[in-house]
Each structure stands twice: as structure tokens, then as C-alpha cells.
Amino acid sequence: MLLRVKKIKVRAEGKEILKGVDLEIKKGEVQVLLGPNGSGKSVLAQTISGNPEYKVKEGKILFLGKDITRLTPEKRSKMGIALVWQTPPLLRGVKFADLLKKISKKEIEAEKIGAAVLLKREVNVGFSGGEKKVSELMQILSLNPKLVIFDEIDSGLDIKRLQRIAKVIKEELVEKGVSVLLITHWGQIVKFLKPDWTNVIVNGKIICKERDYKKVLRTIKRYGYEKCKKCPLLTG
């Protein structure tokens, strides 16, 4: 097992956000985490990547069999965990091309994912929402991650760019054995990536795990997230 999240509980700002989350991801798997706003999706992503604002109060996180629950983000990154931010920071004074030269462990064709036009610009400064997503993806591809967590990478993207990014994720990550956890509340990119497992999180708990992503999307469309606790998927 590449990643094992075992019954973690996380509090922030005096409130329990994750309430005993369990999640397992094997090498080379694509998993999706769906849920409404405020359900804990992004908090789970930040917790796995080691954001110190989100501390595990109970449970543990194992990566490659090692307990990483108390490790720093830097150590987790070196082990192979990468996070694509929902809202990436601006790096004024730093050219995108220079950043890539600094972090790159392998050559990636910028043109292939539509990042060539960004190379001479400051990182994320003046970038559109779609350009920021491309910038983040390019940075991830320049590394050698074992697990990539995409937090709302489909947010603000048109269908054409969404298809292009999904194609790159499949060809440059999944087909090369990299595991992917895709966090979203919109199902369109799920259709393009065809995940191995689809999870639903509501009120800080993963309440559903299903292989048939189409069934999950149909259920959510019909019942909505508010009724997911009574979702027929839970009873087979």
C-alpha cells in the first residue's frame, strides 16, 4: 500500500473538521474524492501533505509503510508526496523558467501542456485561473512524485483545457506508475480520468467508496450530497 490514512481526526480553529477518515491508495491508482464545499476535502489534502495548520489529533498517516503523521511537509515531499494547490501563491520576481530549472529532476516539454507561453513570466503573477493550473501541473511533472494530490484542479477550466490536462495526467503520471488523488466537487474531470475508486466525503467522513464512478455521479446528481448518508451505494 502506498498511502494509508487510518481514522484521522483533525481540528482547526477550535472545530473538528475530519472525523475519523480512512483512505487507502495503492501504487498507480487513480482515486477521486468528491464532496460539497466545507466537507473536509481540502483539509484532508493539506493534512496528508503536512500543512502544520492541520494537526492530526487521533489516528495516523502511513506512506510506503512509514508513519509520517508528524513529519514536516519538506520530508513528506522528499518521500514523494506532491500537492497541487487549489489557490497557488504568487512568486513575484521569480520567472517561471527559473523556478523550473531550480526544481526540475527531469525534462518536460512545456509546449505539450501549454506552459511555454508562461516561461518568461513571474510565477502565477497575472496568470488566469487556467494558467495557474497549468503552472502547478508543470511544476509537478518536473519532479519525481510517487503520489500527486490535485486539489480542485478542474476549478475554472473550460472543457478543452480540462481534457488537455486530464490527458497529461494520464500520460505523464498514471501510465508511469504515479498514484493520483483527485479532489473535486465537479464531476467532469472524473469522466476523463476514469478513476479506479471514487470516494465521497460528507461532514468530515468518507461515507462511500465505489469502483463505478458513473454510479456515484448519477447518485449525487439525483440525490445531492445532503442525502449521501442514505445513498443506495452504502447498501450495495
Side-chain angles (χ1 to χ4, degrees):
M1 193 65 61
L2 181 72
L3 176 75
R4 179 171 285 143
V5 176
K6 301 177 67 174
K7 300 187 182 304
I8 63 168
K9 294 185 178 181
V10 174
R11 295 181 65 86
E13 298 179 356
K15 180 182 178 182
E16 187 174 68
I17 300 174
L18 300 182
K19 305 172 183 179
V21 169
D22 287 298
L23 180 68
E24 293 185 347
I25 301 176
K26 295 178 181 178
K27 179 181 178 181
E29 275 190 338
V30 177
Q31 293 205 27
V32 168
L33 182 64
L34 292 162
N37 290 332
S39 60
K41 300 188 303 297
S42 293
V43 172
L44 179 57
Q46 294 288 340
T47 301
I48 294 171
S49 65
N51 187 330
E53 291 184 18
Y54 303 103
K55 298 186 185 301
V56 176
K57 300 301 181 182
E58 291 184 31
K60 62 177 63 176
I61 303 171
L62 303 175
F63 189 70
L64 295 171
K66 181 178 179 179
D67 189 346
I68 65 168
T69 312
R70 307 302 172 197
L71 291 187
T72 64
E74 291 77 17
K75 289 181 179 179
R76 298 187 200 200
S77 178
K78 288 179 179 179
M79 290 180 69
I81 298 176
L83 171 65
V84 175
W85 293 67
Q86 182 177 355
T87 307
L90 309 182
L91 299 180
R92 297 187 183 278
V94 179
K95 292 290 193 294
F96 188 42
D98 294 335
L99 175 64
L100 292 178
K101 288 178 184 178
K102 184 73 174 177
I103 68 173
S104 291
K105 294 182 179 179
K106 58 183 178 181
E107 283 294 321
I108 298 293
E109 295 180 22
E111 189 61 46
K112 188 172 185 177
I113 65 171
V117 295
L118 307 177
L119 294 176
K120 295 182 179 180
R121 297 168 61 183
E122 295 175 308
V123 181
N124 294 326
V125 178
F127 285 15
S128 66
E131 288 173 335
K132 289 178 181 178
K133 304 296 184 181
V134 169
S135 165
E136 287 284 288
L137 180 56
M138 184 69 181
Q139 292 171 56
I140 292 299
L141 295 179
S142 298
L143 302 171
N144 283 317
K146 294 180 176 68
L147 168 68
V148 181
I149 305 170
F150 290 100
D151 190 3
E152 303 282 4
I153 194 171
D154 51 347
S155 176
L157 297 183
D158 57 36
I159 293 297
K160 185 176 180 180
R161 179 163 270 170
L162 196 59
Q163 287 177 308
R164 188 175 192 177
I165 283 180
K167 184 173 185 291
V168 171
I169 290 173
K170 285 195 289 187
E171 292 179 352
E172 299 296 330
L173 294 174
V174 180
E175 291 178 7
K176 295 180 180 179
V178 178
S179 300
V180 169
L181 176 60
L182 179 73
I183 293 173
T184 181
H185 68 272
W186 185 44
Q188 194 65 45
I189 195 169
V190 179
K191 298 174 183 178
F192 295 139
L193 287 177
K194 297 178 174 60
D196 298 289
W197 290 97
T198 299
N199 307 272
V200 177
I201 185 170
V202 175
N203 295 328
K205 288 186 176 182
I206 293 179
I207 61 169
C208 178
K209 183 165 186 163
E210 170 65 40
R211 279 201 177 276
D212 188 347
Y213 72 91
K214 293 180 181 178
K215 187 187 291 185
V216 177
L217 295 180
R218 285 197 305 268
T219 301
I220 291 172
K221 183 176 180 180
R222 181 177 179 183
Y223 298 102
Y225 285 116
E226 293 304 314
K227 294 186 178 181
C228 273
K229 288 185 178 181
K230 298 179 181 180
C231 171
L233 296 179
L234 293 175
T235 57

